Amino acid sequence: MRTRRAAVVGALAAVSMAAVSACGATADKEEGGGGDGKPVTGLRLMVPNTPGSGYDLTARTVTQVMQDTKVASGVQVFNLPGASGTVGLQRLVNEKGNGKMAMQMGLGVVGASYTSKSEATLTDTTPIAKLIEEAGAIVVPKNSPYKTMDDLVTAWKENPKKFAVGGGSSPGGPDHLLPMQLAKAVGIKPKDVNFVSYDGGGELLPAILGNKIAFGASGFGEFLDQIEAGQVRVLAVTSEKPIDALKNAPTLKDQGIDLVFTNWRGIVAPPGITAEQKKTWVDSLTRMHDSDEWKEQLEKNGWVDSFVTGEDFGTYLTEQDKAVADILAELGLA
């Protein structure tokens, strides 16, 4: 994880914990708020992986903005890592009817629910809101012989089983799903992809720089420092349109590859909560989303605003679940 991201996460964690302390140890037991214009109290947001992760950064940014804008008071963020997010997912499902708790999640948890053979599934949860999207990037070291996606795909097709592809997530995670969908889009069987899994961008980057893999696939934010320093080159971004932070990087579509892939993040609540409890979460996040403070965070972190709530998010989640299940089934992982 890049140094400046870690610093931001540390600062946000301090803000979050200070807010919890200021409201007392019983903050998670408080009720009410929100409906009368007062800050909502007693909310808890679980992060199903470790501090410093993308989910952690998103959750702490959300809660900081909620508190800065007085949408909520004393929101508690806590981490419950394990099994690529499915330990947290099981905890959430076990919290049936608890309208004060929600979980930060995203595409990685969708995949992990299959590859980890989780008893709890996202269909058991209550969809609250999709927050952001972050495009992926196909990157190579500065001395790579591949200058364009056409160069890379041509070489990849010659012998895909010996063409090492790296990603900063385990099978079922976004960095695994991206090269699998890319392979399918260019006519390579996903089963033939030689995927090498690394534990996050911190391990993936040395593999790219050391020419241990032919290319890396991950969120573009993981490589910004190295891109700016000229250590790695971006052959393509996976968004629909070019990204402001990488103005010279073409999209896959620009290069004739019909694929758009984004890693998204959202929030779900336990099953069995009341309509009023769900509305409290949706309304609070909507007010947060509409603030200038949130817009500043979107720009600061290079996030694409993709805010949808309730049933619309539920429909999207169902579509994502099916798409992930289909490709993992093809790989024999689901």
Side-chain angles (χ1 to χ4, degrees):
M1 191 62 62
R2 296 180 298 126
T3 301
R4 64 187 184 190
R5 173 174 285 190
V8 170
V9 170
L12 291 174
V15 169
S16 178
M17 292 310 296
V20 171
S21 298
C23 293
T26 58
D28 61 323
K29 297 180 182 178
E30 295 175 7
E31 297 293 338
D36 52 6
K38 294 180 180 179
V40 178
T41 58
L43 300 181
R44 305 181 73 207
L45 186 57
M46 175 171 54
V47 178
N49 50 24
T50 56
S53 64
Y55 288 166
D56 191 65
L57 174 63
T58 307
R60 294 186 189 279
T61 302
V62 165
T63 56
Q64 180 188 22
V65 173
M66 289 176 76
Q67 292 169 161
D68 287 348
T69 56
K70 296 182 170 51
V71 169
S73 174
V75 184
Q76 181 185 2
V77 178
F78 68 100
N79 299 79
L80 185 63
S84 301
T86 56
V87 169
L89 177 60
Q90 184 65 65
R91 165 71 183 278
L92 189 78
V93 171
N94 290 346
E95 292 281 341
K96 183 177 181 180
N98 183 356
K100 289 290 184 176
M101 181 182 287
M103 183 179 78
Q104 181 70 63
M105 49 75 71
L107 181 60
V109 178
V110 178
S113 68
Y114 287 99
T115 57
S116 297
K117 312 299 182 188
S118 172
E119 291 185 8
T121 68
L122 285 163
T123 57
D124 297 325
T125 68
T126 302
I128 299 296
K130 178 186 173 200
L131 299 170
I132 60 170
E133 291 181 349
E134 185 177 43
I138 305 301
V139 300
V140 295
K142 63 180 180 180
N143 60 350
S144 170
Y146 313 122
K147 308 299 183 185
T148 66
M149 283 301 300
D150 187 56
D151 293 340
L152 186 147
V153 170
T154 299
W156 195 8
K157 283 184 172 181
E158 288 179 0
N159 198 341
K161 291 184 178 180
K162 291 188 177 180
F163 199 88
V165 179
S169 64
S170 56
D175 289 7
H176 172 250
L177 294 171
L178 170 52
M180 295 303 158
Q181 292 192 14
L182 177 60
K184 201 168 184 179
V186 300
I188 296 171
K189 293 180 180 179
K191 273 193 173 183
D192 289 341
V193 175
N194 178 12
F195 179 75
V196 183
S197 176
Y198 294 92
D199 188 10
E203 287 192 5
L204 174 61
L205 182 61
I208 296 170
L209 297 177
N211 292 292
K212 293 181 180 179
I213 53 178
F215 73 90
S218 190
F220 76 89
E222 297 289 344
F223 308 114
L224 279 177
D225 288 345
Q226 289 71 36
I227 294 166
E228 292 169 1
Q231 294 178 304
V232 300
R233 287 188 286 109
V234 180
L235 297 187
V237 290
T238 65
S239 50
E240 182 76 39
K241 298 177 181 178
I243 296 168
D244 289 341
L246 298 172
K247 292 181 180 178
N248 295 323
T251 67
L252 290 172
K253 282 196 165 186
D254 287 338
Q255 299 176 82
I257 299 173
D258 188 17
L259 175 65
V260 173
F261 180 96
T262 54
N263 183 17
W264 55 269
R265 295 174 194 148
I267 291 176
V268 294
I273 65 173
T274 67
E276 183 179 355
Q277 290 169 330
K278 179 178 178 180
K279 186 175 185 299
T280 295
W281 274 107
V282 170
D283 288 354
S284 298
L285 290 169
T286 300
R287 290 172 60 198
M288 183 280 303
H289 165 264
D290 293 343
S291 70
D292 290 338
E293 288 85 348
W294 178 246
K295 293 177 177 63
E296 290 172 7
Q297 290 297 331
L298 291 175
E299 183 175 356
K300 178 181 177 181
N301 290 289
W303 293 335
V304 176
D305 185 8
S306 61
F307 190 72
V308 292
T309 62
E311 296 309 314
D312 289 338
F313 178 42
T315 299
Y316 178 83
L317 195 52
T318 299
E319 293 169 350
Q320 288 285 292
D321 187 79
K322 184 180 185 307
V324 170
D326 286 349
I327 197 160
L328 291 178
E330 190 172 339
L331 293 166
L333 297 174

